Amino acid sequence: FTDLNEIHARLFDHRPILQGHINYFVREFEEKRNDHEIERLKKLNEDIRDMKDELLPQSTKGMDLFLANLTAKLKVATEVCNKVENKENSMDTEFLEKERVQRKDEWIEFLGQQAKTCEEIDEEFTEQAGILARHYAELEKNLKTVNSSVP
């Protein structure tokens, strides 16, 4: 009966073998990793402490100076815009409207003069083209006369 238990344990009880493999795996894993995670965590902790102690105060101080300067420039720009708006509101809009109407009338007159000048140029061109056509027709006629008289 004891032999039967021993045979059964050897065939179906794998705990001792598995325990050996698990111990081997854990030992290999710990030796190969060599506490890299702990070193990385210490390095990260140190970097975060440096940022907290040095970079954060420097950044905050720089932003305070920059934002104060920016705020002052924005106030100046706003004042300039308000002055321009007040000046525009205080101007005599009736005078400006009269000037616009006068410039519009002058522009219409200018366009009319340009159209008249274009028509005159077109008429002169047509007249000159007619003169040249008659001149060349006469030259061609003379050439034919000379060619017909020469044997």
Side-chain angles (χ1 to χ4, degrees):
F1 185 72
T2 57
D3 289 336
L4 188 62
N5 280 341
E6 189 177 314
I7 292 172
H8 181 270
R10 283 186 177 180
L11 288 176
F12 298 110
D13 189 13
H14 302 294
R15 284 180 278 171
I17 295 171
L18 289 176
Q19 190 66 33
H21 284 298
I22 291 171
N23 288 338
Y24 175 76
F25 178 77
V26 168
R27 196 173 336 115
E28 283 293 313
F29 186 76
E30 287 177 352
E31 288 175 6
K32 287 182 180 178
R33 300 299 285 214
N34 210 13
D35 295 334
H36 286 296
E37 287 81 17
I38 294 173
E39 291 174 9
R40 287 181 185 162
L41 287 173
K42 286 180 181 178
K43 176 78 170 134
L44 284 173
N45 191 17
E46 183 180 315
D47 290 345
I48 290 172
R49 189 176 301 118
D50 287 345
M51 286 181 201
K52 179 184 167 194
D53 294 341
E54 295 175 12
L55 292 177
L56 185 64
Q58 288 176 357
S59 299
T60 310
K61 187 177 180 181
M63 285 188 344
D64 288 342
L65 291 173
F66 176 75
L67 291 176
N69 189 15
L70 182 65
T71 304
K73 288 181 180 180
L74 285 174
K75 284 181 182 179
V76 169
T78 304
E79 289 174 7
V80 169
C81 289
N82 287 337
K83 286 179 183 178
V84 168
E85 183 182 15
N86 290 338
K87 188 175 182 180
E88 182 180 332
N89 289 339
S90 67
M91 291 181 128
D92 185 16
T93 56
E94 230 175 86
F95 171 74
L96 293 175
E97 190 61 34
K98 287 179 184 177
E99 290 293 318
R100 283 188 194 116
V101 169
Q102 181 181 354
R103 282 193 305 274
K104 186 177 180 181
D105 292 342
E106 289 174 357
W107 181 252
I108 291 171
E109 183 182 337
F110 172 74
L111 290 178
Q113 288 175 353
Q114 289 298 315
K116 184 179 176 184
T117 305
C118 285
E119 288 175 13
E120 290 173 0
I121 291 172
D122 288 342
E123 288 174 9
E124 187 177 334
F125 176 78
T126 306
E127 184 181 320
Q128 290 295 325
I131 291 171
L132 284 175
R134 287 191 298 270
H135 176 69
Y136 282 110
E138 189 178 317
L139 286 176
E140 193 173 316
K141 182 180 173 186
N142 290 340
L143 185 63
K144 286 181 184 179
T145 329
V146 171
N147 283 341
S148 61
S149 65
V150 174

